Each structure stands twice: as structure tokens, then as C-alpha cells.
Amino acid sequence: MSPDSGNKTTRDCLLEVAERLFAQKGYDAVSVREITNTAKCNLASVNYHFGNKKTLYLNVFRERWMLRAQYIRACFEENLAGCGDTSPASVIQSLAEALIKGPLTDEERLFHFQLMIREMTKPTEAFEIVMEETMKPTFEGLEQLFQPYLHESIDEDRTLLNILSIFSMVLYFNFARLPVSKIIGHAYDQRFKDRLVQHIVDFSLSGLPVKEIAR
Amino acid sequence: MSPDSGNKTTRDCLLEVAERLFAQKGYDAVSVREITNTAKCNLASVNYHFGNKKTLYLNVFRERWMLRAQYIRACFEENLAGCGDTSPASVIQSLAEALIKGPLTDEERLFHFQLMIREMTKPTEAFEIVMEETMKPTFEGLEQLFQPYLHESIDEDRTLLNILSIFSMVLYFNFARLPVSKIIGHAYDQRFKDRLVQHIVDFSLSGLPVKEIAR
DNA sequence: TTGACATTCAAACGTTCGTTTGATATACGT
DNA sequence: ACGTATATCAAACGAACGTTTGAATGTCAA
């Protein structure tokens, strides 16, 4: 018997289903039975293919989450190359587009950032993967890109805070779609995403659009 | 037998312990036994005082989370009154200080935002409390405060996006202390919090501190 | 002192959990 | 055709779960 529909292996099918469920509900709220029932395979297959539930969760990050992170990064670099320059405006635009519109489906993007948020609020072993192999390298790259354009008086710490601020916006608008929709008052559709990217670029470059120089 | 130490009632003690554990681990990762053991009271007391585990969780929001939200709001209004004006700079400064340094202890603040994040990633009935009774009124108030200072061409939606962006920073720097510390490379102490408030104000008003007018 | 009520307690309830087992089915080199 | 390795299966394991029970304790007005 093949798992689920299609020609995927049981192992891959388990990873796929597990990612969705872990992202939606969190590790503890998902049972092995729910995973194997959804994947239409036997209860024991989780332990057969991954040893235990915890290792399955870890492999979701190793084999699926990391892959998506690489897609996003590749998309960012492609976007940036298409800009012709590496000005802060181009960098932020490329980054926001890769993260908000990017190469992933809406569903994948939601899962990706939900898993990320879960690891940040209650870190497990997967946190190291997210942190060391994705965030740190990305942030260091951004730091290098921004550095030549920032005032000389800006030290490394302040640059990092700036990057973290941009990141916090992207993160928030990705995982908190429900509250964002509630506040804004309309759907999280393609038009809104375009607007969001533009907003993130504008805000990151200029902050609030205030009238006077009360800055 | 009184629960825990001190003169608190069993009920209050349960709420206090439950808030801490739910914030740290999430609803499903905390058992009723862990709560009652930590609170040094009987296993059955959760069901006696609250009916069931879910209602206890809900009451953590009703009786504790809402209270803290009110403290923070009061602190914000106090800060703003002390500024003498309601310019965006004063508003953001007052808001950031109330949320980052504020009237709560570091621990309380962490729990507060962890619970908030959990409701945003996987909303339960408590989400309505967070959203309707706290976030929406706050955001509407901020909108009113910012409106007169923003360019006439800025519509309501863009103002809300600006507010959400400021909020996303505050939220992120509050709940993601671990990754922030890892990225920045030093502790989340008082000095850092001062610096954080200053950064949030600066970034919200001006965005990235770029050299030229590449804006 | 008594009776009524509120609270705490140890023990048990039935259910679900993650994991293990041993039998069975399938695939493939020899 | 055979033997071995790989994969799936139904069934069961003990442990932990949320909840219930009924007796024991404390409190206080009458």
C-alpha cells in the first residue's frame, strides 16, 4: 500500500503531513496517530522511519524547513541581482518580496513562519538549525550589504538592530495574518501583499511619514 | 493547608502558576498535574475552582493578562502626559518605554507577550480578549494620535500598517529575547533595553540611517 | 454544639498518548 | 526458487492525561 495519493514514499508523506500539523497546532497538540491517519499510513511507521516523534519533528526542520529557507534566500539573491545595484532600497525591496510574495505558496509560507515562531517562543533542538544555519548567515550578509550605505557613526550593534527591525516586520506580517486582517479590515490577498511589500520598503527607509522635521 | 507560600488563595495561586507555565510551554505541553504540583495544591482543585483546564487557561487571560495590558496602557498614558505634547516622537517614545521597560517585571513582560504570541499563532477563545479588548482600542487610539501629524495623502490603511510595524518591533523584541541576544551577542539587560527603546523611536521616525537621499 | 456550606484530599475513572512487538507482505540479488 | 532485507500491518504495552468521586476537613452562623 502506498501512503496518501501519488508516488511519494511513506517517509516523505509523513514529513509533509507532520510539517503542516506541527506548524498549525504545535508539537504537543499533534499526536502520532493524527499524523499517521492523515498520511494514511500505519501508526508504527513514524517510529520505523524516524525512531520517535521528536526526531520526526527535527527532521521536518532538517529536510523541509531548511529547504524552504534556501528557496527564499535564492529568490532574494535573484531579486537583488535583477535590481542592478545593492542600495538599501534594492536590498529591502528584494528581501521583502522574497519573504512576503516569494517562491512559496501561501500555505507553505504560513507553515514556514509558524514553525519559526514556535521555535522562538519555546526553543528545541531545531532552534539551532533555524538560528545558526539560516538567520545568522542571512543577517551577516545583510549587514555587509547595508554597511557602506550607513552613516559612519553607526556601529555594528545598531546595524543589527535595524536589520532585526526589518525582520520583525516581515515575520509579523507573515505569521500573524489573522490579527493583521482583523485590524486592517480586509483579506490577505495578492493586492494586499503588494501593498505590504511597498509599505515595508517605505517604512524601513523613512519610518513614519510625518509632515514636519519633528525628527 | 494553604497553597504555595503566603496568604494567597488556592484559586489565585493556580492562576499565577498556570500563567507562568502556559506562557513558557504552551497549553498542550502543560498538564493539570504539573500546575497543581507547582502550586502545591490538590489535583482536583483545578476542576473545583475552574471547571476544567480550558477554562483555567481562559481565566488566565481574563483575570491576569487583561490586568497587565491595562497596567501597560496606563503606563503609556502616564509617559505621554509627562511629555507635554502628542507628537509622533513623544507617542512612540512613551509606547516603547511602556512596553519594553514598563511597569511589569522582566518575567511578567515575557509571559505577557509569550501568551500573546501563542494566541496569534493558534487562536483560541482567548484571542477575542486580546484582539477586541486590547489591541483594537489601542490601535484606534494611536491612529487618532498620529493622524494630525501625517501627510494628508496617507489614508487610514497606511496609518494602520505603520502602527502595526511599530507594534511588530515591540512584540518581537519582547518575546524573542533569546534569538535577539544570540544575534546581538550580549545580554538582555537594562542598558540594552534603554538602547532598544531609543532604537525603536529612531527607526520608527526615520527608518534606516542611510547616508544619501537614496530614498 | 449543631448543621450547612465551602474547600481540600487520596483514589480511581476511562481515554489517549508514544512506543514496541511479532506476524505478514513485498522487492531483489543470487 | 530461494533467502534476505525492507516495509507495512493489527494489536498490545505501560504511562500519562483530564476529569470525577466521595470522604475528610475547615469555617461560621444559629
Side-chain angles (χ1 to χ4, degrees), chain B residues 34-87:
Chain B
E34 186 177 3
I35 294 170
T36 53
N37 285 341
T38 310
K40 295 189 211 309
C41 64
N42 191 267
L43 170 62
S45 52
V46 162
N47 294 75
Y48 177 76
H49 287 285
F50 298 96
N52 53 43
K53 183 187 175 187
K54 195 174 146 193
T55 311
L56 167 60
Y57 176 77
L58 220 62
N59 274 60
V60 165
F61 276 84
R62 282 203 266 257
E63 298 181 37
R64 302 210 117 228
W65 195 91
M66 275 295 292
L67 206 65
R68 298 200 198 287
Q70 282 159 16
Y71 286 158
I72 292 172
R73 198 193 172 95
C75 175
F76 161 64
E77 274 158 14
E78 207 172 293
N79 288 348
L80 189 59
C83 284
D85 67 285
T86 59
S87 67

Short mmCIF file of all heavy atoms in Angstrom, two decimals, chain B residues 34-87:
data_model
loop_
_atom_site.label_atom_id
_atom_site.label_comp_id
_atom_site.label_asym_id
_atom_site.label_seq_id
_atom_site.Cartn_x
_atom_site.Cartn_y
_atom_site.Cartn_z
N GLU B 34 1.00 19.08 36.58
CA GLU B 34 2.16 19.96 36.73
C GLU B 34 1.75 21.29 37.39
O GLU B 34 2.47 21.82 38.23
CB GLU B 34 2.79 20.24 35.36
CG GLU B 34 4.09 21.03 35.46
CD GLU B 34 4.75 21.25 34.11
OE1 GLU B 34 4.17 20.83 33.08
OE2 GLU B 34 5.84 21.84 34.08
N ILE B 35 0.59 21.77 37.02
CA ILE B 35 0.10 23.03 37.59
C ILE B 35 -0.16 22.88 39.09
O ILE B 35 0.32 23.66 39.90
CB ILE B 35 -1.18 23.50 36.86
CG1 ILE B 35 -0.86 23.87 35.41
CG2 ILE B 35 -1.81 24.70 37.58
CD1 ILE B 35 -2.09 24.12 34.55
N THR B 36 -0.90 21.82 39.43
CA THR B 36 -1.26 21.66 40.84
C THR B 36 -0.06 21.28 41.71
O THR B 36 0.03 21.69 42.86
CB THR B 36 -2.37 20.60 41.00
OG1 THR B 36 -1.97 19.39 40.36
CG2 THR B 36 -3.66 21.09 40.38
N ASN B 37 0.87 20.54 41.15
CA ASN B 37 2.09 20.23 41.90
C ASN B 37 2.89 21.49 42.17
O ASN B 37 3.37 21.70 43.29
CB ASN B 37 2.95 19.22 41.14
CG ASN B 37 2.38 17.80 41.20
OD1 ASN B 37 1.55 17.49 42.07
ND2 ASN B 37 2.78 16.96 40.28
N THR B 38 3.06 22.32 41.14
CA THR B 38 3.80 23.57 41.29
C THR B 38 3.12 24.50 42.28
O THR B 38 3.78 25.18 43.07
CB THR B 38 3.95 24.27 39.93
OG1 THR B 38 4.44 23.35 38.95
CG2 THR B 38 4.90 25.46 40.02
N ALA B 39 1.79 24.51 42.23
CA ALA B 39 1.03 25.39 43.13
C ALA B 39 0.86 24.76 44.51
O ALA B 39 0.28 25.38 45.40
CB ALA B 39 -0.33 25.69 42.52
N LYS B 40 1.40 23.56 44.68
CA LYS B 40 1.29 22.83 45.95
C LYS B 40 -0.15 22.71 46.42
O LYS B 40 -0.46 22.99 47.59
CB LYS B 40 2.14 23.51 47.03
CG LYS B 40 3.65 23.48 46.74
CD LYS B 40 4.42 23.97 47.95
CE LYS B 40 5.71 24.67 47.53
NZ LYS B 40 6.53 23.91 46.60
N CYS B 41 -1.02 22.31 45.52
CA CYS B 41 -2.39 22.05 45.93
C CYS B 41 -2.87 20.77 45.27
O CYS B 41 -2.15 20.17 44.47
CB CYS B 41 -3.31 23.22 45.58
SG CYS B 41 -3.46 23.52 43.83
N ASN B 42 -4.08 20.38 45.60
CA ASN B 42 -4.57 19.09 45.13
C ASN B 42 -4.93 19.10 43.64
O ASN B 42 -5.33 20.11 43.09
CB ASN B 42 -5.79 18.69 45.96
CG ASN B 42 -6.19 17.25 45.69
OD1 ASN B 42 -7.02 16.98 44.83
ND2 ASN B 42 -5.56 16.32 46.40
N LEU B 43 -4.77 17.91 43.05
CA LEU B 43 -5.05 17.75 41.62
C LEU B 43 -6.45 18.21 41.24
O LEU B 43 -6.66 18.82 40.18
CB LEU B 43 -4.86 16.27 41.25
CG LEU B 43 -5.31 15.80 39.87
CD1 LEU B 43 -4.54 16.50 38.77
CD2 LEU B 43 -5.14 14.29 39.76
N ALA B 44 -7.41 17.93 42.14
CA ALA B 44 -8.81 18.21 41.80
C ALA B 44 -9.16 19.69 41.88
O ALA B 44 -10.24 20.10 41.45
CB ALA B 44 -9.72 17.42 42.72
N SER B 45 -8.26 20.50 42.42
CA SER B 45 -8.61 21.90 42.67
C SER B 45 -8.83 22.70 41.38
O SER B 45 -9.59 23.67 41.38
CB SER B 45 -7.55 22.57 43.55
OG SER B 45 -6.28 22.37 42.99
N VAL B 46 -8.15 22.31 40.30
CA VAL B 46 -8.38 22.99 39.03
C VAL B 46 -9.84 22.83 38.61
O VAL B 46 -10.50 23.80 38.23
CB VAL B 46 -7.44 22.45 37.92
CG1 VAL B 46 -7.96 22.83 36.54
CG2 VAL B 46 -6.03 22.99 38.11
N ASN B 47 -10.33 21.60 38.70
CA ASN B 47 -11.72 21.35 38.30
C ASN B 47 -12.70 21.93 39.31
O ASN B 47 -13.80 22.34 38.93
CB ASN B 47 -11.95 19.84 38.11
CG ASN B 47 -11.14 19.30 36.95
OD1 ASN B 47 -9.93 19.14 37.09
ND2 ASN B 47 -11.77 19.07 35.82
N TYR B 48 -12.30 21.98 40.56
CA TYR B 48 -13.20 22.56 41.56
C TYR B 48 -13.36 24.07 41.34
O TYR B 48 -14.47 24.59 41.34
CB TYR B 48 -12.68 22.29 42.97
CG TYR B 48 -13.52 22.93 44.03
CD1 TYR B 48 -14.75 22.39 44.41
CD2 TYR B 48 -13.10 24.10 44.66
CE1 TYR B 48 -15.53 22.98 45.38
CE2 TYR B 48 -13.89 24.71 45.63
CZ TYR B 48 -15.10 24.15 45.99
OH TYR B 48 -15.89 24.75 46.93
N HIS B 49 -12.23 24.77 41.12
CA HIS B 49 -12.28 26.23 41.04
C HIS B 49 -12.61 26.75 39.64
O HIS B 49 -13.12 27.86 39.50
CB HIS B 49 -10.96 26.83 41.50
CG HIS B 49 -10.75 26.76 42.98
ND1 HIS B 49 -11.41 27.58 43.86
CD2 HIS B 49 -9.97 25.95 43.73
CE1 HIS B 49 -11.05 27.28 45.11
NE2 HIS B 49 -10.17 26.29 45.05
N PHE B 50 -12.27 25.97 38.60
CA PHE B 50 -12.44 26.50 37.24
C PHE B 50 -13.27 25.59 36.32
O PHE B 50 -13.51 25.96 35.19
CB PHE B 50 -11.07 26.76 36.61
CG PHE B 50 -10.25 27.80 37.34
CD1 PHE B 50 -9.30 27.40 38.27
CD2 PHE B 50 -10.47 29.15 37.13
CE1 PHE B 50 -8.57 28.36 38.96
CE2 PHE B 50 -9.73 30.10 37.81
CZ PHE B 50 -8.78 29.70 38.73
N GLY B 51 -13.64 24.42 36.81
CA GLY B 51 -14.43 23.53 35.98
C GLY B 51 -13.58 22.58 35.16
O GLY B 51 -13.74 21.38 35.24
N ASN B 52 -12.66 23.15 34.38
CA ASN B 52 -11.73 22.31 33.62
C ASN B 52 -10.48 23.10 33.22
O ASN B 52 -10.39 24.30 33.49
CB ASN B 52 -12.42 21.72 32.38
CG ASN B 52 -13.08 22.80 31.54
OD1 ASN B 52 -12.50 23.86 31.31
ND2 ASN B 52 -14.30 22.55 31.09
N LYS B 53 -9.56 22.41 32.57
CA LYS B 53 -8.28 23.02 32.21
C LYS B 53 -8.45 24.20 31.26
O LYS B 53 -7.80 25.23 31.41
CB LYS B 53 -7.40 21.94 31.57
CG LYS B 53 -6.00 22.39 31.20
CD LYS B 53 -5.28 21.30 30.41
CE LYS B 53 -3.92 21.74 29.91
NZ LYS B 53 -3.30 20.74 29.02
N LYS B 54 -9.33 24.04 30.30
CA LYS B 54 -9.53 25.07 29.28
C LYS B 54 -10.03 26.37 29.90
O LYS B 54 -9.59 27.46 29.52
CB LYS B 54 -10.53 24.55 28.24
CG LYS B 54 -10.58 25.35 26.95
CD LYS B 54 -11.50 24.68 25.94
CE LYS B 54 -12.22 25.70 25.08
NZ LYS B 54 -13.34 25.09 24.32
N THR B 55 -10.96 26.23 30.84
CA THR B 55 -11.50 27.42 31.48
C THR B 55 -10.44 28.11 32.35
O THR B 55 -10.43 29.33 32.48
CB THR B 55 -12.73 27.07 32.33
OG1 THR B 55 -13.63 26.29 31.54
CG2 THR B 55 -13.45 28.32 32.80
N LEU B 56 -9.56 27.30 32.95
CA LEU B 56 -8.45 27.89 33.71
C LEU B 56 -7.59 28.74 32.78
O LEU B 56 -7.23 29.88 33.10
CB LEU B 56 -7.60 26.77 34.34
CG LEU B 56 -6.24 27.20 34.91
CD1 LEU B 56 -6.39 28.25 36.00
CD2 LEU B 56 -5.47 25.99 35.44
N TYR B 57 -7.28 28.17 31.60
CA TYR B 57 -6.49 28.91 30.62
C TYR B 57 -7.16 30.22 30.24
O TYR B 57 -6.53 31.28 30.19
CB TYR B 57 -6.29 28.04 29.37
CG TYR B 57 -5.55 28.71 28.24
CD1 TYR B 57 -4.17 28.87 28.29
CD2 TYR B 57 -6.23 29.20 27.13
CE1 TYR B 57 -3.49 29.48 27.26
CE2 TYR B 57 -5.55 29.80 26.09
CZ TYR B 57 -4.18 29.94 26.15
OH TYR B 57 -3.51 30.55 25.13
N LEU B 58 -8.46 30.14 30.01
CA LEU B 58 -9.23 31.32 29.63
C LEU B 58 -9.22 32.37 30.73
O LEU B 58 -9.11 33.57 30.47
CB LEU B 58 -10.67 30.91 29.30
CG LEU B 58 -11.30 31.59 28.10
CD1 LEU B 58 -10.53 31.26 26.83
CD2 LEU B 58 -12.75 31.21 27.97
N ASN B 59 -9.32 31.90 31.98
CA ASN B 59 -9.33 32.83 33.09
C ASN B 59 -7.96 33.47 33.35
O ASN B 59 -7.88 34.54 33.94
CB ASN B 59 -9.85 32.14 34.36
CG ASN B 59 -11.35 32.19 34.44
OD1 ASN B 59 -12.04 31.68 33.56
ND2 ASN B 59 -11.89 32.83 35.47
N VAL B 60 -6.90 32.78 32.94
CA VAL B 60 -5.58 33.41 32.99
C VAL B 60 -5.61 34.70 32.17
O VAL B 60 -5.10 35.73 32.59
CB VAL B 60 -4.49 32.45 32.47
CG1 VAL B 60 -3.21 33.21 32.17
CG2 VAL B 60 -4.22 31.34 33.47
N PHE B 61 -6.25 34.64 31.03
CA PHE B 61 -6.35 35.84 30.18
C PHE B 61 -7.31 36.85 30.79
O PHE B 61 -7.01 38.04 30.85
CB PHE B 61 -6.82 35.45 28.77
CG PHE B 61 -5.69 35.00 27.89
CD1 PHE B 61 -5.25 33.69 27.93
CD2 PHE B 61 -5.04 35.90 27.06
CE1 PHE B 61 -4.20 33.27 27.14
CE2 PHE B 61 -3.99 35.48 26.26
CZ PHE B 61 -3.57 34.17 26.30
N ARG B 62 -8.46 36.37 31.24
CA ARG B 62 -9.47 37.29 31.76
C ARG B 62 -8.99 38.02 33.01
O ARG B 62 -9.20 39.21 33.18
CB ARG B 62 -10.75 36.51 32.09
CG ARG B 62 -11.58 36.21 30.84
CD ARG B 62 -13.04 35.96 31.23
NE ARG B 62 -13.30 34.55 31.43
CZ ARG B 62 -13.93 33.77 30.55
NH1 ARG B 62 -14.36 34.28 29.41
NH2 ARG B 62 -14.16 32.50 30.80
N GLU B 63 -8.34 37.29 33.92
CA GLU B 63 -8.04 37.87 35.22
C GLU B 63 -6.61 38.36 35.35
O GLU B 63 -6.31 39.20 36.18
CB GLU B 63 -8.34 36.85 36.32
CG GLU B 63 -9.81 36.45 36.36
CD GLU B 63 -10.11 35.45 37.46
OE1 GLU B 63 -9.53 35.57 38.55
OE2 GLU B 63 -10.94 34.54 37.22
N ARG B 64 -5.68 37.82 34.54
CA ARG B 64 -4.29 38.22 34.70
C ARG B 64 -3.77 38.97 33.48
O ARG B 64 -3.17 40.02 33.60
CB ARG B 64 -3.40 36.99 34.95
CG ARG B 64 -3.79 36.18 36.17
CD ARG B 64 -2.57 35.51 36.76
NE ARG B 64 -2.30 35.99 38.09
CZ ARG B 64 -1.13 36.39 38.54
NH1 ARG B 64 -0.09 36.39 37.75
NH2 ARG B 64 -0.96 36.80 39.79
N TRP B 65 -4.00 38.41 32.30
CA TRP B 65 -3.43 39.03 31.10
C TRP B 65 -4.03 40.42 30.86
O TRP B 65 -3.30 41.38 30.62
CB TRP B 65 -3.69 38.13 29.89
CG TRP B 65 -2.86 38.50 28.71
CD1 TRP B 65 -1.64 38.02 28.38
CD2 TRP B 65 -3.19 39.47 27.71
NE1 TRP B 65 -1.19 38.62 27.23
CE2 TRP B 65 -2.11 39.51 26.80
CE3 TRP B 65 -4.28 40.31 27.49
CZ2 TRP B 65 -2.09 40.35 25.70
CZ3 TRP B 65 -4.27 41.15 26.39
CH2 TRP B 65 -3.18 41.16 25.52
N MET B 66 -5.36 40.50 30.98
CA MET B 66 -6.04 41.78 30.77
C MET B 66 -5.54 42.84 31.76
O MET B 66 -5.35 44.00 31.40
CB MET B 66 -7.55 41.59 30.94
CG MET B 66 -8.25 41.12 29.68
SD MET B 66 -8.16 42.37 28.37
CE MET B 66 -9.21 43.65 29.08
N LEU B 67 -5.31 42.41 32.98
CA LEU B 67 -4.84 43.32 34.02
C LEU B 67 -3.49 43.92 33.63
O LEU B 67 -3.26 45.12 33.71
CB LEU B 67 -4.72 42.56 35.35
CG LEU B 67 -4.85 43.39 36.62
CD1 LEU B 67 -6.25 43.97 36.72
CD2 LEU B 67 -4.53 42.54 37.84
N ARG B 68 -2.60 43.05 33.17
CA ARG B 68 -1.28 43.53 32.76
C ARG B 68 -1.37 44.46 31.57
O ARG B 68 -0.66 45.46 31.49
CB ARG B 68 -0.39 42.34 32.39
CG ARG B 68 -0.14 41.39 33.53
CD ARG B 68 1.09 40.56 33.23
NE ARG B 68 1.13 39.37 34.06
CZ ARG B 68 1.41 39.38 35.36
NH1 ARG B 68 1.65 40.53 35.95
NH2 ARG B 68 1.44 38.25 36.03
N ALA B 69 -2.25 44.13 30.65
CA ALA B 69 -2.45 45.00 29.48
C ALA B 69 -2.90 46.39 29.94
O ALA B 69 -2.46 47.41 29.38
CB ALA B 69 -3.47 44.38 28.54
N GLN B 70 -3.74 46.42 30.96
CA GLN B 70 -4.21 47.71 31.48
C GLN B 70 -3.08 48.48 32.16
O GLN B 70 -2.99 49.70 32.03
CB GLN B 70 -5.39 47.49 32.44
CG GLN B 70 -6.70 47.23 31.72
CD GLN B 70 -7.73 46.52 32.59
OE1 GLN B 70 -7.60 46.48 33.82
NE2 GLN B 70 -8.74 45.95 31.95
N TYR B 71 -2.23 47.77 32.89
CA TYR B 71 -1.06 48.41 33.52
C TYR B 71 -0.20 49.08 32.45
O TYR B 71 0.23 50.23 32.61
CB TYR B 71 -0.21 47.38 34.26
CG TYR B 71 -0.79 46.89 35.55
CD1 TYR B 71 -0.39 45.67 36.10
CD2 TYR B 71 -1.74 47.64 36.27
CE1 TYR B 71 -0.91 45.20 37.29
CE2 TYR B 71 -2.28 47.18 37.45
CZ TYR B 71 -1.87 45.96 37.96
OH TYR B 71 -2.38 45.50 39.14
N ILE B 72 0.06 48.32 31.39
CA ILE B 72 0.92 48.84 30.32
C ILE B 72 0.30 50.07 29.68
O ILE B 72 0.96 51.08 29.46
CB ILE B 72 1.17 47.74 29.26
CG1 ILE B 72 2.02 46.62 29.85
CG2 ILE B 72 1.85 48.34 28.03
CD1 ILE B 72 2.17 45.40 28.96
N ARG B 73 -1.00 49.98 29.44
CA ARG B 73 -1.69 51.11 28.83
C ARG B 73 -1.66 52.34 29.72
O ARG B 73 -1.41 53.46 29.26
CB ARG B 73 -3.13 50.70 28.53
CG ARG B 73 -3.78 51.62 27.53
CD ARG B 73 -5.28 51.46 27.44
NE ARG B 73 -5.83 52.49 26.59
CZ ARG B 73 -6.09 52.34 25.30
NH1 ARG B 73 -5.83 51.20 24.72
NH2 ARG B 73 -6.59 53.34 24.60
N ALA B 74 -1.89 52.11 31.01
CA ALA B 74 -1.85 53.23 31.96
C ALA B 74 -0.46 53.86 31.97
O ALA B 74 -0.30 55.08 32.01
CB ALA B 74 -2.23 52.75 33.36
N CYS B 75 0.56 53.01 31.93
CA CYS B 75 1.93 53.49 31.92
C CYS B 75 2.19 54.33 30.67
O CYS B 75 2.83 55.38 30.74
CB CYS B 75 2.89 52.31 31.99
SG CYS B 75 4.63 52.76 31.84
N PHE B 76 1.70 53.85 29.53
CA PHE B 76 1.85 54.60 28.29
C PHE B 76 1.23 55.99 28.41
O PHE B 76 1.85 57.00 28.05
CB PHE B 76 1.21 53.83 27.13
CG PHE B 76 0.90 54.66 25.92
CD1 PHE B 76 1.92 55.26 25.19
CD2 PHE B 76 -0.42 54.85 25.52
CE1 PHE B 76 1.63 56.05 24.07
CE2 PHE B 76 -0.70 55.62 24.39
CZ PHE B 76 0.32 56.22 23.68
N GLU B 77 0.01 56.04 28.93
CA GLU B 77 -0.68 57.33 29.03
C GLU B 77 0.02 58.27 30.00
O GLU B 77 0.09 59.47 29.79
CB GLU B 77 -2.14 57.10 29.43
CG GLU B 77 -3.01 56.82 28.19
CD GLU B 77 -4.30 56.08 28.50
OE1 GLU B 77 -4.67 56.00 29.69
OE2 GLU B 77 -4.93 55.57 27.55
N GLU B 78 0.57 57.68 31.06
CA GLU B 78 1.33 58.46 32.03
C GLU B 78 2.59 59.04 31.38
O GLU B 78 2.89 60.23 31.51
CB GLU B 78 1.72 57.55 33.20
CG GLU B 78 1.91 58.25 34.52
CD GLU B 78 2.11 57.23 35.62
OE1 GLU B 78 1.15 56.49 35.94
OE2 GLU B 78 3.23 57.15 36.15
N ASN B 79 3.31 58.17 30.66
CA ASN B 79 4.51 58.61 29.95
C ASN B 79 4.20 59.76 29.00
O ASN B 79 4.92 60.76 28.94
CB ASN B 79 5.11 57.46 29.15
CG ASN B 79 5.76 56.42 30.03
OD1 ASN B 79 5.96 56.65 31.23
ND2 ASN B 79 6.08 55.27 29.44
N LEU B 80 3.10 59.57 28.26
CA LEU B 80 2.75 60.57 27.24
C LEU B 80 2.37 61.90 27.89
O LEU B 80 2.76 62.97 27.39
CB LEU B 80 1.59 60.04 26.39
CG LEU B 80 1.23 60.86 25.15
CD1 LEU B 80 2.42 60.97 24.21
CD2 LEU B 80 0.03 60.25 24.42
N ALA B 81 1.63 61.81 28.99
CA ALA B 81 1.26 63.03 29.71
C ALA B 81 2.51 63.78 30.16
O ALA B 81 2.56 65.02 30.12
CB ALA B 81 0.37 62.68 30.89
N GLY B 82 3.51 63.04 30.58
CA GLY B 82 4.77 63.64 31.03
C GLY B 82 5.55 64.31 29.91
O GLY B 82 6.42 65.14 30.17
N CYS B 83 5.23 63.97 28.67
CA CYS B 83 5.94 64.55 27.52
C CYS B 83 5.49 65.98 27.23
O CYS B 83 6.25 66.78 26.70
CB CYS B 83 5.73 63.70 26.27
SG CYS B 83 6.69 62.19 26.26
N GLY B 84 4.24 66.27 27.55
CA GLY B 84 3.73 67.62 27.32
C GLY B 84 3.14 67.81 25.94
O GLY B 84 2.40 68.77 25.70
N ASP B 85 3.44 66.93 25.01
CA ASP B 85 2.84 67.02 23.68
C ASP B 85 2.49 65.62 23.19
O ASP B 85 2.80 64.63 23.85
CB ASP B 85 3.80 67.69 22.71
CG ASP B 85 5.01 66.82 22.46
OD1 ASP B 85 5.90 66.75 23.37
OD2 ASP B 85 5.09 66.18 21.39
N THR B 86 1.83 65.58 22.02
CA THR B 86 1.47 64.27 21.47
C THR B 86 2.07 64.08 20.08
O THR B 86 1.45 63.49 19.19
CB THR B 86 -0.06 64.10 21.39
OG1 THR B 86 -0.59 65.14 20.57
CG2 THR B 86 -0.69 64.13 22.77
N SER B 87 3.26 64.59 19.88
CA SER B 87 3.96 64.39 18.61
C SER B 87 4.28 62.92 18.42
O SER B 87 4.38 62.18 19.41
CB SER B 87 5.25 65.21 18.61
OG SER B 87 6.14 64.69 19.58
#
